[in-house]
Amino acid sequence: MNEEKYVVPSATMNEHPKGYELTFEIPGVGKGEAELHVENRSLVLKTHAKYQAPAGFKQVAAEFERVNYAVSVDLPETADPSTVGAKLENGVLRVTVRKRPETQARAIAID
């Protein structure tokens, strides 16, 4: 039985006035190998990395093992889960989530 093993990726979450940016380090993972979804208030990331040798070649040795990543992150109460966006580039997944409009700071005019 070949049981899949998962590693928790390095992650950071930063807040800015209009939302949040989460960054996950998932080296070796391509766009078609990552799955991202929202369950209730949790952001769930799971990858399925597979090595594919170029046409006509067969892998005979490897210096590192390809790993799969899995993590679940609770979004802050002020986050709007319907606004999640993601971009994967050079092994770094950047996820953006906007704050719910009613929770954003706003200026109030003084008469």
Side-chain angles (χ1 to χ4, degrees):
M1 179 184 265
N2 187 7
E3 186 176 318
E4 285 188 279
K5 297 177 185 174
Y6 291 93
V7 174
V8 176
S10 296
T12 58
M13 182 188 310
N14 293 305
E15 180 179 6
H16 54 85
K18 294 188 184 241
Y20 302 91
E21 182 179 84
L22 295 89
T23 305
F24 300 95
E25 294 181 18
I26 52 174
V29 176
K31 291 180 184 179
E33 301 169 328
E35 172 187 316
L36 183 67
H37 64 275
V38 177
E39 290 180 14
N40 298 319
R41 297 210 62 77
S42 295
L43 185 69
V44 180
L45 169 65
K46 193 172 187 180
T47 69
H48 308 281
K50 293 184 174 40
Y51 174 77
Q52 220 172 41
F57 289 84
K58 178 175 94 173
Q59 181 178 351
V60 292
E63 291 185 18
F64 64 93
E65 180 181 356
R66 302 259 326 208
V67 297
N68 291 309
Y69 298 95
V71 66
S72 177
V73 177
D74 291 335
L75 295 173
E77 288 292 321
T78 56
D80 181 354
S82 68
T83 64
V84 173
K87 183 175 183 178
L88 178 59
E89 190 173 19
N90 298 324
V92 177
L93 176 65
R94 294 189 192 290
V95 179
T96 56
V97 185
R98 286 184 283 194
K99 290 182 179 177
R100 295 191 327 263
E102 68 272 14
T103 64
Q104 292 184 26
R106 61 185 175 88
I108 300 170
I110 301 173
D111 293 331

